[in-house]
Amino acid sequence: MIERWESEDAADARIATTATGLLRTFNAAGVLTAADVHVAARTAELVGETDEAVRLAVALAVRAARQGSVCVDLREIGADAADADLPWPDADGWLDAVTGSPLREHSVVQVESGLLYLDRYWREEGQVRDDLVARLGAVPPDVDDAALVASAERLFPGEGYAEQRAAALAAARQWTTVLTGGPGTGKTTTVAGLLALLAEQAASNPDGRGLRIGLTAPTGKAAARLQEAVEEAQLADRFTATDRARLGGLTAATLHRLLGWRPGSSTRFKHHRGNKLPHDVIVVDETSMVSLTMMARLVEAVRPQTRLILVGDPDQLASVEAGAVLSDLVGGLAAREPGTVAALRTTHRFGGAIGALAEALRDGDADRALTLLGSGDPALELVDPEDVAGMARLQTDLAGHAVALRAAALTGDPAAVVRLADEHRLLCAHRDGPWGIQHWNRQVERWLGEATGAPIGAAWGHEWYAGRPVLVTANDYGLGLFNGDTGVVVQQGDQLRVVIAGAALPSFAPSRLGDIETLHAMTVHKSQGSQARAVTVLLPPDDSPLLTRELFYTAVTRAQERVRVVGTPASVAAAVTRRALRATGLRPRLTRRG
C-alpha cells in the first residue's frame, strides 16, 4: 500500500491549489505533495508534455526521491487493493508513454530495466556501477604475500581474530573491499590491522614514501569516532612501536572535507574525475549513511591504484538522502565478485541480552524480540506508555541525568561533562509530536528547571545554560565543526562555553554557533555513528510510517550496556516486521555482466 498523508488544514503547504487532472486527484488523496506536483507540472510545460499519465509518473519519481528511493516501478505502484480507489493509469502502456515522452528526450527522466528515474539519479547510479566494475576488473595490487601473511598472523593472532584476519588479507590483495558487520564485531580492529599491514608493505617502496591514508565518514561525529577507534586499536600489544610510528598522525575528516568542499555547492567538490584524491588507501566508515550522490562523487575521485575500504552495517538506517548504497553494494558485489565483501559476524561489544535482541531484529523475529524485552534481564526493559510507574521511572532517570550533567557543567570540567553526556541517550523516531525530540527536549528542560529551581530553556528565555547538551546540525568549516558533532555547555568563570566532544575538546562562545539543537533527546537518524552506555528508545504508535526494523535496530545498537524501549507490544511488533525498503536499481545493475 502506498503511503499517504492526511490534513484537515486548508492552508497546508502540501496542498497544490492550482493542480489539475491526475496531479490534483493524487495530491488530494495524500499521495503527492505540492512540491511533487509543481516540479512535474513545470518540467512538463517546459517541454510541451500534456499527457496527464506522464506528468503523474514524473511526480511519482520526484516523490520517490524525496522519500529516499532512487527510482520508481510504475508496474507495481498502486497495485495494492487498498489503493484501488485511485485512477491509476494502465500499467502496460504507462511506461511506454514515459519512454516516448519529450521529458525523456530532454533528460528530465530516464527508463532503465522497467524502472523510472529522475535523470540525475539514473546517471549517478550508472556512474557508481561503471566505476566500481572498472575497479573490480583492474589488475590486483602487487604485494609480498609471504610477508603479508606473516604480519597478519602477528596482528590478528589465533582463532579469536580469524574473521578479522581473513578480511584484512582480502582487503590487502584487492582494490575495493566492502567490510560489513554489526556493532562490536571488530570492524575498526580490522581496519587498524589492515592499515598496519599496508604501511609495512609500503615501507619497502623504492621511493621511500610512506602510505598516504585517508580516513573519512559522512559526519563529523562519525569521523571523530573512527579516528579515536583506530588510535585505540593501535595501543594493543600486537602492534609494535614501528607499526604505531608508521600510522602516527592519522586524522579523519568528513567526506565533504576529504573531497574538498566548495562554497555554494553540496554536490561538487575540488577532487573529481579530473583531479583525483592523492591517497593510497581510503577508509570510509558508516557507509550506510552515504547517499548515492556522495558515493558517486567519492568513487569518481578515487585513483584506480587506491585501495577503497567501505565499512558499515547494512542493517542500519540508510542515508537521509536518496539511495541505499551499502545494502546495494553488499548484495550486488557479493553476487558479482564475492571476495569483495568481507562480513564480520561475531559480536564482542554487547552483553548477551542486547546482542540477542539485535539478532532478533535482524531476523525480523518480533515474538523473540518481545520475549527478550520482557525477560527481566537487567540489560533490557520494555515500558508500556500506559504504565504509570514505568513512565515515572523514565522521568526520574531523564531528570536525574540532566541534573547531574548540569552539576558537572557548573564545575567547568570539560572532559567529565562530555563523558557524562554519553552515559545516556534518549532516541526518538520523530522530530515533532508527543513522541518527537522537540517535545521531549522541552520536557527534560522543564523537569531540570523544577529540580534545580533555575529558569532553564527557551520557554524561559534562557536557551543557553550550563549543562545544555547540544548537537551541531550543519557543517561550519570556519570553526571546524560538522553536522553530527555533539557537545555540552559548561560554566568557565563567569562565561558559558560550548565544549565539543572529541580528542581536543575545543570550546566556543555560544554566540559563534548558529546551527545548534538541544540534545536531551535526539532522532535515531542523528544517533548513527555514536554510542552510549544506556539508551532509551521511544517508539511511536504502530501506525507511524517511520517505525521500521532498520530504525529500531539502529537505536538498539547504539547501547553498550542497557536498552529501555518505551512502546506498546504492537509498536515493537510493527518495528520488527516493517522494512524501510527503498527502490533502487544499483544492485541488479552491479550483477549484470556487460
mmCIF file with all atom_site columns, all heavy atoms in Angstrom, residues 423-445:
data_model
loop_
_atom_site.group_PDB
_atom_site.id
_atom_site.type_symbol
_atom_site.label_atom_id
_atom_site.label_alt_id
_atom_site.label_comp_id
_atom_site.label_asym_id
_atom_site.label_entity_id
_atom_site.label_seq_id
_atom_site.pdbx_PDB_ins_code
_atom_site.Cartn_x
_atom_site.Cartn_y
_atom_site.Cartn_z
_atom_site.occupancy
_atom_site.B_iso_or_equiv
_atom_site.pdbx_formal_charge
_atom_site.auth_seq_id
_atom_site.auth_comp_id
_atom_site.auth_asym_id
_atom_site.auth_atom_id
_atom_site.pdbx_PDB_model_num
ATOM 1   N N   . GLU A 1 423 ? 26.681 9.000  28.803 1.00 0.00 ? 423 GLU A N   1
ATOM 2   C CA  . GLU A 1 423 ? 26.185 7.934  29.661 1.00 0.00 ? 423 GLU A CA  1
ATOM 3   C C   . GLU A 1 423 ? 24.806 7.458  29.215 1.00 0.00 ? 423 GLU A C   1
ATOM 4   O O   . GLU A 1 423 ? 24.459 6.290  29.371 1.00 0.00 ? 423 GLU A O   1
ATOM 5   C CB  . GLU A 1 423 ? 26.122 8.412  31.119 1.00 0.00 ? 423 GLU A CB  1
ATOM 6   C CG  . GLU A 1 423 ? 27.473 8.515  31.801 1.00 0.00 ? 423 GLU A CG  1
ATOM 7   C CD  . GLU A 1 423 ? 28.056 7.139  32.098 1.00 0.00 ? 423 GLU A CD  1
ATOM 8   O OE1 . GLU A 1 423 ? 27.451 6.388  32.869 1.00 0.00 ? 423 GLU A OE1 1
ATOM 9   O OE2 . GLU A 1 423 ? 29.117 6.819  31.531 1.00 0.00 ? 423 GLU A OE2 1
ATOM 10  N N   . HIS A 1 424 ? 23.990 8.370  28.691 1.00 0.00 ? 424 HIS A N   1
ATOM 11  C CA  . HIS A 1 424 ? 22.620 8.012  28.308 1.00 0.00 ? 424 HIS A CA  1
ATOM 12  C C   . HIS A 1 424 ? 22.191 8.824  27.107 1.00 0.00 ? 424 HIS A C   1
ATOM 13  O O   . HIS A 1 424 ? 22.553 9.996  26.967 1.00 0.00 ? 424 HIS A O   1
ATOM 14  C CB  . HIS A 1 424 ? 21.650 8.270  29.464 1.00 0.00 ? 424 HIS A CB  1
ATOM 15  C CG  . HIS A 1 424 ? 20.228 7.920  29.123 1.00 0.00 ? 424 HIS A CG  1
ATOM 16  N ND1 . HIS A 1 424 ? 19.329 8.847  28.620 1.00 0.00 ? 424 HIS A ND1 1
ATOM 17  C CD2 . HIS A 1 424 ? 19.556 6.747  29.180 1.00 0.00 ? 424 HIS A CD2 1
ATOM 18  C CE1 . HIS A 1 424 ? 18.167 8.250  28.398 1.00 0.00 ? 424 HIS A CE1 1
ATOM 19  N NE2 . HIS A 1 424 ? 18.274 6.982  28.726 1.00 0.00 ? 424 HIS A NE2 1
ATOM 20  N N   . ARG A 1 425 ? 21.441 8.176  26.215 1.00 0.00 ? 425 ARG A N   1
ATOM 21  C CA  . ARG A 1 425 ? 20.844 8.870  25.078 1.00 0.00 ? 425 ARG A CA  1
ATOM 22  C C   . ARG A 1 425 ? 19.363 8.497  25.000 1.00 0.00 ? 425 ARG A C   1
ATOM 23  O O   . ARG A 1 425 ? 18.990 7.328  25.097 1.00 0.00 ? 425 ARG A O   1
ATOM 24  C CB  . ARG A 1 425 ? 21.521 8.461  23.771 1.00 0.00 ? 425 ARG A CB  1
ATOM 25  C CG  . ARG A 1 425 ? 22.863 9.152  23.544 1.00 0.00 ? 425 ARG A CG  1
ATOM 26  C CD  . ARG A 1 425 ? 22.690 10.568 23.052 1.00 0.00 ? 425 ARG A CD  1
ATOM 27  N NE  . ARG A 1 425 ? 23.974 11.209 22.792 1.00 0.00 ? 425 ARG A NE  1
ATOM 28  C CZ  . ARG A 1 425 ? 24.508 12.158 23.534 1.00 0.00 ? 425 ARG A CZ  1
ATOM 29  N NH1 . ARG A 1 425 ? 23.868 12.586 24.608 1.00 0.00 ? 425 ARG A NH1 1
ATOM 30  N NH2 . ARG A 1 425 ? 25.669 12.700 23.220 1.00 0.00 ? 425 ARG A NH2 1
ATOM 31  N N   . LEU A 1 426 ? 18.536 9.542  24.807 1.00 0.00 ? 426 LEU A N   1
ATOM 32  C CA  . LEU A 1 426 ? 17.108 9.366  24.574 1.00 0.00 ? 426 LEU A CA  1
ATOM 33  C C   . LEU A 1 426 ? 16.871 9.506  23.080 1.00 0.00 ? 426 LEU A C   1
ATOM 34  O O   . LEU A 1 426 ? 17.109 10.577 22.503 1.00 0.00 ? 426 LEU A O   1
ATOM 35  C CB  . LEU A 1 426 ? 16.316 10.419 25.350 1.00 0.00 ? 426 LEU A CB  1
ATOM 36  C CG  . LEU A 1 426 ? 14.796 10.440 25.138 1.00 0.00 ? 426 LEU A CG  1
ATOM 37  C CD1 . LEU A 1 426 ? 14.158 9.135  25.594 1.00 0.00 ? 426 LEU A CD1 1
ATOM 38  C CD2 . LEU A 1 426 ? 14.178 11.630 25.869 1.00 0.00 ? 426 LEU A CD2 1
ATOM 39  N N   . LEU A 1 427 ? 16.416 8.433  22.419 1.00 0.00 ? 427 LEU A N   1
ATOM 40  C CA  . LEU A 1 427 ? 16.302 8.386  20.969 1.00 0.00 ? 427 LEU A CA  1
ATOM 41  C C   . LEU A 1 427 ? 14.840 8.330  20.539 1.00 0.00 ? 427 LEU A C   1
ATOM 42  O O   . LEU A 1 427 ? 14.066 7.526  21.069 1.00 0.00 ? 427 LEU A O   1
ATOM 43  C CB  . LEU A 1 427 ? 17.046 7.171  20.410 1.00 0.00 ? 427 LEU A CB  1
ATOM 44  C CG  . LEU A 1 427 ? 18.523 7.057  20.783 1.00 0.00 ? 427 LEU A CG  1
ATOM 45  C CD1 . LEU A 1 427 ? 19.140 5.823  20.135 1.00 0.00 ? 427 LEU A CD1 1
ATOM 46  C CD2 . LEU A 1 427 ? 19.291 8.314  20.379 1.00 0.00 ? 427 LEU A CD2 1
ATOM 47  N N   . CYS A 1 428 ? 14.490 9.168  19.567 1.00 0.00 ? 428 CYS A N   1
ATOM 48  C CA  . CYS A 1 428 ? 13.121 9.251  19.057 1.00 0.00 ? 428 CYS A CA  1
ATOM 49  C C   . CYS A 1 428 ? 13.114 9.023  17.550 1.00 0.00 ? 428 CYS A C   1
ATOM 50  O O   . CYS A 1 428 ? 14.079 9.347  16.855 1.00 0.00 ? 428 CYS A O   1
ATOM 51  C CB  . CYS A 1 428 ? 12.518 10.624 19.345 1.00 0.00 ? 428 CYS A CB  1
ATOM 52  S SG  . CYS A 1 428 ? 12.538 11.133 21.076 1.00 0.00 ? 428 CYS A SG  1
ATOM 53  N N   . ALA A 1 429 ? 11.992 8.503  17.056 1.00 0.00 ? 429 ALA A N   1
ATOM 54  C CA  . ALA A 1 429 ? 11.833 8.339  15.615 1.00 0.00 ? 429 ALA A CA  1
ATOM 55  C C   . ALA A 1 429 ? 11.451 9.666  14.961 1.00 0.00 ? 429 ALA A C   1
ATOM 56  O O   . ALA A 1 429 ? 11.863 9.955  13.837 1.00 0.00 ? 429 ALA A O   1
ATOM 57  C CB  . ALA A 1 429 ? 10.770 7.287  15.316 1.00 0.00 ? 429 ALA A CB  1
ATOM 58  N N   . HIS A 1 430 ? 10.658 10.470 15.667 1.00 0.00 ? 430 HIS A N   1
ATOM 59  C CA  . HIS A 1 430 ? 10.095 11.700 15.103 1.00 0.00 ? 430 HIS A CA  1
ATOM 60  C C   . HIS A 1 430 ? 10.785 12.938 15.639 1.00 0.00 ? 430 HIS A C   1
ATOM 61  O O   . HIS A 1 430 ? 11.419 12.912 16.701 1.00 0.00 ? 430 HIS A O   1
ATOM 62  C CB  . HIS A 1 430 ? 8.600  11.791 15.451 1.00 0.00 ? 430 HIS A CB  1
ATOM 63  C CG  . HIS A 1 430 ? 7.741  10.781 14.787 1.00 0.00 ? 430 HIS A CG  1
ATOM 64  N ND1 . HIS A 1 430 ? 6.984  11.047 13.681 1.00 0.00 ? 430 HIS A ND1 1
ATOM 65  C CD2 . HIS A 1 430 ? 7.513  9.467  15.079 1.00 0.00 ? 430 HIS A CD2 1
ATOM 66  C CE1 . HIS A 1 430 ? 6.317  9.972  13.312 1.00 0.00 ? 430 HIS A CE1 1
ATOM 67  N NE2 . HIS A 1 430 ? 6.629  8.997  14.146 1.00 0.00 ? 430 HIS A NE2 1
ATOM 68  N N   . ARG A 1 431 ? 10.632 14.039 14.922 1.00 0.00 ? 431 ARG A N   1
ATOM 69  C CA  . ARG A 1 431 ? 11.045 15.339 15.424 1.00 0.00 ? 431 ARG A CA  1
ATOM 70  C C   . ARG A 1 431 ? 9.899  16.030 16.161 1.00 0.00 ? 431 ARG A C   1
ATOM 71  O O   . ARG A 1 431 ? 10.112 16.681 17.181 1.00 0.00 ? 431 ARG A O   1
ATOM 72  C CB  . ARG A 1 431 ? 11.514 16.243 14.279 1.00 0.00 ? 431 ARG A CB  1
ATOM 73  C CG  . ARG A 1 431 ? 12.818 15.825 13.637 1.00 0.00 ? 431 ARG A CG  1
ATOM 74  C CD  . ARG A 1 431 ? 13.290 16.883 12.648 1.00 0.00 ? 431 ARG A CD  1
ATOM 75  N NE  . ARG A 1 431 ? 13.474 18.182 13.289 1.00 0.00 ? 431 ARG A NE  1
ATOM 76  C CZ  . ARG A 1 431 ? 14.570 18.525 13.975 1.00 0.00 ? 431 ARG A CZ  1
ATOM 77  N NH1 . ARG A 1 431 ? 15.564 17.684 14.089 1.00 0.00 ? 431 ARG A NH1 1
ATOM 78  N NH2 . ARG A 1 431 ? 14.652 19.723 14.534 1.00 0.00 ? 431 ARG A NH2 1
ATOM 79  N N   . ASP A 1 432 ? 8.680  15.890 15.622 1.00 0.00 ? 432 ASP A N   1
ATOM 80  C CA  . ASP A 1 432 ? 7.527  16.612 16.159 1.00 0.00 ? 432 ASP A CA  1
ATOM 81  C C   . ASP A 1 432 ? 6.537  15.649 16.796 1.00 0.00 ? 432 ASP A C   1
ATOM 82  O O   . ASP A 1 432 ? 6.613  14.429 16.622 1.00 0.00 ? 432 ASP A O   1
ATOM 83  C CB  . ASP A 1 432 ? 6.839  17.402 15.038 1.00 0.00 ? 432 ASP A CB  1
ATOM 84  C CG  . ASP A 1 432 ? 7.788  18.352 14.322 1.00 0.00 ? 432 ASP A CG  1
ATOM 85  O OD1 . ASP A 1 432 ? 8.509  19.082 15.021 1.00 0.00 ? 432 ASP A OD1 1
ATOM 86  O OD2 . ASP A 1 432 ? 7.810  18.340 13.076 1.00 0.00 ? 432 ASP A OD2 1
ATOM 87  N N   . GLY A 1 433 ? 5.577  16.228 17.513 1.00 0.00 ? 433 GLY A N   1
ATOM 88  C CA  . GLY A 1 433 ? 4.525  15.421 18.108 1.00 0.00 ? 433 GLY A CA  1
ATOM 89  C C   . GLY A 1 433 ? 4.907  14.900 19.476 1.00 0.00 ? 433 GLY A C   1
ATOM 90  O O   . GLY A 1 433 ? 6.023  15.123 19.974 1.00 0.00 ? 433 GLY A O   1
ATOM 91  N N   . PRO A 1 434 ? 3.988  14.173 20.131 1.00 0.00 ? 434 PRO A N   1
ATOM 92  C CA  . PRO A 1 434 ? 4.213  13.710 21.507 1.00 0.00 ? 434 PRO A CA  1
ATOM 93  C C   . PRO A 1 434 ? 5.365  12.739 21.664 1.00 0.00 ? 434 PRO A C   1
ATOM 94  O O   . PRO A 1 434 ? 5.848  12.526 22.769 1.00 0.00 ? 434 PRO A O   1
ATOM 95  C CB  . PRO A 1 434 ? 2.874  13.058 21.881 1.00 0.00 ? 434 PRO A CB  1
ATOM 96  C CG  . PRO A 1 434 ? 2.231  12.727 20.580 1.00 0.00 ? 434 PRO A CG  1
ATOM 97  C CD  . PRO A 1 434 ? 2.655  13.794 19.630 1.00 0.00 ? 434 PRO A CD  1
ATOM 98  N N   . TRP A 1 435 ? 5.810  12.105 20.550 1.00 0.00 ? 435 TRP A N   1
ATOM 99  C CA  . TRP A 1 435 ? 6.944  11.177 20.622 1.00 0.00 ? 435 TRP A CA  1
ATOM 100 C C   . TRP A 1 435 ? 8.157  11.727 19.887 1.00 0.00 ? 435 TRP A C   1
ATOM 101 O O   . TRP A 1 435 ? 9.081  10.986 19.545 1.00 0.00 ? 435 TRP A O   1
ATOM 102 C CB  . TRP A 1 435 ? 6.549  9.804  20.067 1.00 0.00 ? 435 TRP A CB  1
ATOM 103 C CG  . TRP A 1 435 ? 5.451  9.194  20.868 1.00 0.00 ? 435 TRP A CG  1
ATOM 104 C CD1 . TRP A 1 435 ? 4.128  9.128  20.555 1.00 0.00 ? 435 TRP A CD1 1
ATOM 105 C CD2 . TRP A 1 435 ? 5.574  8.625  22.171 1.00 0.00 ? 435 TRP A CD2 1
ATOM 106 N NE1 . TRP A 1 435 ? 3.412  8.550  21.576 1.00 0.00 ? 435 TRP A NE1 1
ATOM 107 C CE2 . TRP A 1 435 ? 4.285  8.232  22.584 1.00 0.00 ? 435 TRP A CE2 1
ATOM 108 C CE3 . TRP A 1 435 ? 6.649  8.415  23.040 1.00 0.00 ? 435 TRP A CE3 1
ATOM 109 C CZ2 . TRP A 1 435 ? 4.054  7.633  23.808 1.00 0.00 ? 435 TRP A CZ2 1
ATOM 110 C CZ3 . TRP A 1 435 ? 6.411  7.814  24.260 1.00 0.00 ? 435 TRP A CZ3 1
ATOM 111 C CH2 . TRP A 1 435 ? 5.120  7.431  24.634 1.00 0.00 ? 435 TRP A CH2 1
ATOM 112 N N   . GLY A 1 436 ? 8.183  13.047 19.667 1.00 0.00 ? 436 GLY A N   1
ATOM 113 C CA  . GLY A 1 436 ? 9.273  13.670 18.934 1.00 0.00 ? 436 GLY A CA  1
ATOM 114 C C   . GLY A 1 436 ? 10.280 14.349 19.843 1.00 0.00 ? 436 GLY A C   1
ATOM 115 O O   . GLY A 1 436 ? 10.019 14.623 21.017 1.00 0.00 ? 436 GLY A O   1
ATOM 116 N N   . ILE A 1 437 ? 11.429 14.677 19.282 1.00 0.00 ? 437 ILE A N   1
ATOM 117 C CA  . ILE A 1 437 ? 12.519 15.226 20.092 1.00 0.00 ? 437 ILE A CA  1
ATOM 118 C C   . ILE A 1 437 ? 12.197 16.614 20.627 1.00 0.00 ? 437 ILE A C   1
ATOM 119 O O   . ILE A 1 437 ? 12.648 16.976 21.725 1.00 0.00 ? 437 ILE A O   1
ATOM 120 C CB  . ILE A 1 437 ? 13.841 15.260 19.289 1.00 0.00 ? 437 ILE A CB  1
ATOM 121 C CG1 . ILE A 1 437 ? 13.719 16.142 18.041 1.00 0.00 ? 437 ILE A CG1 1
ATOM 122 C CG2 . ILE A 1 437 ? 14.294 13.862 18.927 1.00 0.00 ? 437 ILE A CG2 1
ATOM 123 C CD1 . ILE A 1 437 ? 15.057 16.445 17.395 1.00 0.00 ? 437 ILE A CD1 1
ATOM 124 N N   . GLN A 1 438 ? 11.437 17.405 19.890 1.00 0.00 ? 438 GLN A N   1
ATOM 125 C CA  . GLN A 1 438 ? 11.154 18.750 20.370 1.00 0.00 ? 438 GLN A CA  1
ATOM 126 C C   . GLN A 1 438 ? 10.344 18.711 21.659 1.00 0.00 ? 438 GLN A C   1
ATOM 127 O O   . GLN A 1 438 ? 10.621 19.446 22.617 1.00 0.00 ? 438 GLN A O   1
ATOM 128 C CB  . GLN A 1 438 ? 10.438 19.551 19.280 1.00 0.00 ? 438 GLN A CB  1
ATOM 129 C CG  . GLN A 1 438 ? 11.305 19.810 18.051 1.00 0.00 ? 438 GLN A CG  1
ATOM 130 C CD  . GLN A 1 438 ? 10.635 20.711 17.027 1.00 0.00 ? 438 GLN A CD  1
ATOM 131 O OE1 . GLN A 1 438 ? 9.501  21.128 17.197 1.00 0.00 ? 438 GLN A OE1 1
ATOM 132 N NE2 . GLN A 1 438 ? 11.351 21.015 15.953 1.00 0.00 ? 438 GLN A NE2 1
ATOM 133 N N   . HIS A 1 439 ? 9.324  17.851 21.687 1.00 0.00 ? 439 HIS A N   1
ATOM 134 C CA  . HIS A 1 439 ? 8.509  17.700 22.898 1.00 0.00 ? 439 HIS A CA  1
ATOM 135 C C   . HIS A 1 439 ? 9.350  17.209 24.069 1.00 0.00 ? 439 HIS A C   1
ATOM 136 O O   . HIS A 1 439 ? 9.277  17.760 25.181 1.00 0.00 ? 439 HIS A O   1
ATOM 137 C CB  . HIS A 1 439 ? 7.368  16.721 22.620 1.00 0.00 ? 439 HIS A CB  1
ATOM 138 C CG  . HIS A 1 439 ? 6.625  16.290 23.848 1.00 0.00 ? 439 HIS A CG  1
ATOM 139 N ND1 . HIS A 1 439 ? 5.681  17.081 24.455 1.00 0.00 ? 439 HIS A ND1 1
ATOM 140 C CD2 . HIS A 1 439 ? 6.705  15.152 24.593 1.00 0.00 ? 439 HIS A CD2 1
ATOM 141 C CE1 . HIS A 1 439 ? 5.199  16.454 25.511 1.00 0.00 ? 439 HIS A CE1 1
ATOM 142 N NE2 . HIS A 1 439 ? 5.802  15.281 25.621 1.00 0.00 ? 439 HIS A NE2 1
ATOM 143 N N   . TRP A 1 440 ? 10.189 16.198 23.825 1.00 0.00 ? 440 TRP A N   1
ATOM 144 C CA  . TRP A 1 440 ? 10.946 15.612 24.936 1.00 0.00 ? 440 TRP A CA  1
ATOM 145 C C   . TRP A 1 440 ? 12.098 16.496 25.380 1.00 0.00 ? 440 TRP A C   1
ATOM 146 O O   . TRP A 1 440 ? 12.458 16.488 26.568 1.00 0.00 ? 440 TRP A O   1
ATOM 147 C CB  . TRP A 1 440 ? 11.408 14.211 24.562 1.00 0.00 ? 440 TRP A CB  1
ATOM 148 C CG  . TRP A 1 440 ? 10.249 13.254 24.644 1.00 0.00 ? 440 TRP A CG  1
ATOM 149 C CD1 . TRP A 1 440 ? 9.359  12.952 23.662 1.00 0.00 ? 440 TRP A CD1 1
ATOM 150 C CD2 . TRP A 1 440 ? 9.817  12.562 25.812 1.00 0.00 ? 440 TRP A CD2 1
ATOM 151 N NE1 . TRP A 1 440 ? 8.388  12.088 24.148 1.00 0.00 ? 440 TRP A NE1 1
ATOM 152 C CE2 . TRP A 1 440 ? 8.655  11.830 25.459 1.00 0.00 ? 440 TRP A CE2 1
ATOM 153 C CE3 . TRP A 1 440 ? 10.295 12.474 27.117 1.00 0.00 ? 440 TRP A CE3 1
ATOM 154 C CZ2 . TRP A 1 440 ? 7.972  11.027 26.360 1.00 0.00 ? 440 TRP A CZ2 1
ATOM 155 C CZ3 . TRP A 1 440 ? 9.618  11.654 28.027 1.00 0.00 ? 440 TRP A CZ3 1
ATOM 156 C CH2 . TRP A 1 440 ? 8.476  10.951 27.649 1.00 0.00 ? 440 TRP A CH2 1
ATOM 157 N N   . ASN A 1 441 ? 12.670 17.269 24.488 1.00 0.00 ? 441 ASN A N   1
ATOM 158 C CA  . ASN A 1 441 ? 13.678 18.235 24.934 1.00 0.00 ? 441 ASN A CA  1
ATOM 159 C C   . ASN A 1 441 ? 13.057 19.265 25.876 1.00 0.00 ? 441 ASN A C   1
ATOM 160 O O   . ASN A 1 441 ? 13.643 19.632 26.900 1.00 0.00 ? 441 ASN A O   1
ATOM 161 C CB  . ASN A 1 441 ? 14.314 18.942 23.734 1.00 0.00 ? 441 ASN A CB  1
ATOM 162 C CG  . ASN A 1 441 ? 15.466 18.161 23.135 1.00 0.00 ? 441 ASN A CG  1
ATOM 163 O OD1 . ASN A 1 441 ? 16.268 17.581 23.855 1.00 0.00 ? 441 ASN A OD1 1
ATOM 164 N ND2 . ASN A 1 441 ? 15.557 18.150 21.819 1.00 0.00 ? 441 ASN A ND2 1
ATOM 165 N N   . ARG A 1 442 ? 11.854 19.722 25.527 1.00 0.00 ? 442 ARG A N   1
ATOM 166 C CA  . ARG A 1 442 ? 11.163 20.679 26.409 1.00 0.00 ? 442 ARG A CA  1
ATOM 167 C C   . ARG A 1 442 ? 10.810 20.029 27.743 1.00 0.00 ? 442 ARG A C   1
ATOM 168 O O   . ARG A 1 442 ? 10.928 20.670 28.800 1.00 0.00 ? 442 ARG A O   1
ATOM 169 C CB  . ARG A 1 442 ? 9.894  21.208 25.725 1.00 0.00 ? 442 ARG A CB  1
ATOM 170 C CG  . ARG A 1 442 ? 10.161 22.160 24.552 1.00 0.00 ? 442 ARG A CG  1
ATOM 171 C CD  . ARG A 1 442 ? 8.884  22.873 24.141 1.00 0.00 ? 442 ARG A CD  1
ATOM 172 N NE  . ARG A 1 442 ? 7.864  21.932 23.701 1.00 0.00 ? 442 ARG A NE  1
ATOM 173 C CZ  . ARG A 1 442 ? 7.678  21.551 22.448 1.00 0.00 ? 442 ARG A CZ  1
ATOM 174 N NH1 . ARG A 1 442 ? 8.477  22.020 21.495 1.00 0.00 ? 442 ARG A NH1 1
ATOM 175 N NH2 . ARG A 1 442 ? 6.708  20.708 22.129 1.00 0.00 ? 442 ARG A NH2 1
ATOM 176 N N   . GLN A 1 443 ? 10.361 18.781 27.703 1.00 0.00 ? 443 GLN A N   1
ATOM 177 C CA  . GLN A 1 443 ? 10.000 18.081 28.938 1.00 0.00 ? 443 GLN A CA  1
ATOM 178 C C   . GLN A 1 443 ? 11.192 17.974 29.881 1.00 0.00 ? 443 GLN A C   1
ATOM 179 O O   . GLN A 1 443 ? 11.086 18.259 31.080 1.00 0.00 ? 443 GLN A O   1
ATOM 180 C CB  . GLN A 1 443 ? 9.491  16.669 28.601 1.00 0.00 ? 443 GLN A CB  1
ATOM 181 C CG  . GLN A 1 443 ? 8.057  16.618 28.145 1.00 0.00 ? 443 GLN A CG  1
ATOM 182 C CD  . GLN A 1 443 ? 7.104  16.707 29.335 1.00 0.00 ? 443 GLN A CD  1
ATOM 183 O OE1 . GLN A 1 443 ? 7.044  17.717 30.046 1.00 0.00 ? 443 GLN A OE1 1
ATOM 184 N NE2 . GLN A 1 443 ? 6.329  15.652 29.544 1.00 0.00 ? 443 GLN A NE2 1
ATOM 185 N N   . VAL A 1 444 ? 12.331 17.531 29.340 1.00 0.00 ? 444 VAL A N   1
ATOM 186 C CA  . VAL A 1 444 ? 13.507 17.359 30.197 1.00 0.00 ? 444 VAL A CA  1
ATOM 187 C C   . VAL A 1 444 ? 13.960 18.703 30.756 1.00 0.00 ? 444 VAL A C   1
ATOM 188 O O   . VAL A 1 444 ? 14.338 18.805 31.931 1.00 0.00 ? 444 VAL A O   1
ATOM 189 C CB  . VAL A 1 444 ? 14.641 16.665 29.419 1.00 0.00 ? 444 VAL A CB  1
ATOM 190 C CG1 . VAL A 1 444 ? 15.913 16.608 30.271 1.00 0.00 ? 444 VAL A CG1 1
ATOM 191 C CG2 . VAL A 1 444 ? 14.224 15.255 29.001 1.00 0.00 ? 444 VAL A CG2 1
ATOM 192 N N   . GLU A 1 445 ? 13.921 19.755 29.942 1.00 0.00 ? 445 GLU A N   1
ATOM 193 C CA  . GLU A 1 445 ? 14.294 21.074 30.444 1.00 0.00 ? 445 GLU A CA  1
ATOM 194 C C   . GLU A 1 445 ? 13.330 21.541 31.535 1.00 0.00 ? 445 GLU A C   1
ATOM 195 O O   . GLU A 1 445 ? 13.752 22.177 32.517 1.00 0.00 ? 445 GLU A O   1
ATOM 196 C CB  . GLU A 1 445 ? 14.332 22.084 29.298 1.00 0.00 ? 445 GLU A CB  1
ATOM 197 C CG  . GLU A 1 445 ? 15.533 21.913 28.376 1.00 0.00 ? 445 GLU A CG  1
ATOM 198 C CD  . GLU A 1 445 ? 15.641 22.973 27.306 1.00 0.00 ? 445 GLU A CD  1
ATOM 199 O OE1 . GLU A 1 445 ? 14.587 23.524 26.911 1.00 0.00 ? 445 GLU A OE1 1
ATOM 200 O OE2 . GLU A 1 445 ? 16.762 23.242 26.850 1.00 0.00 ? 445 GLU A OE2 1
#
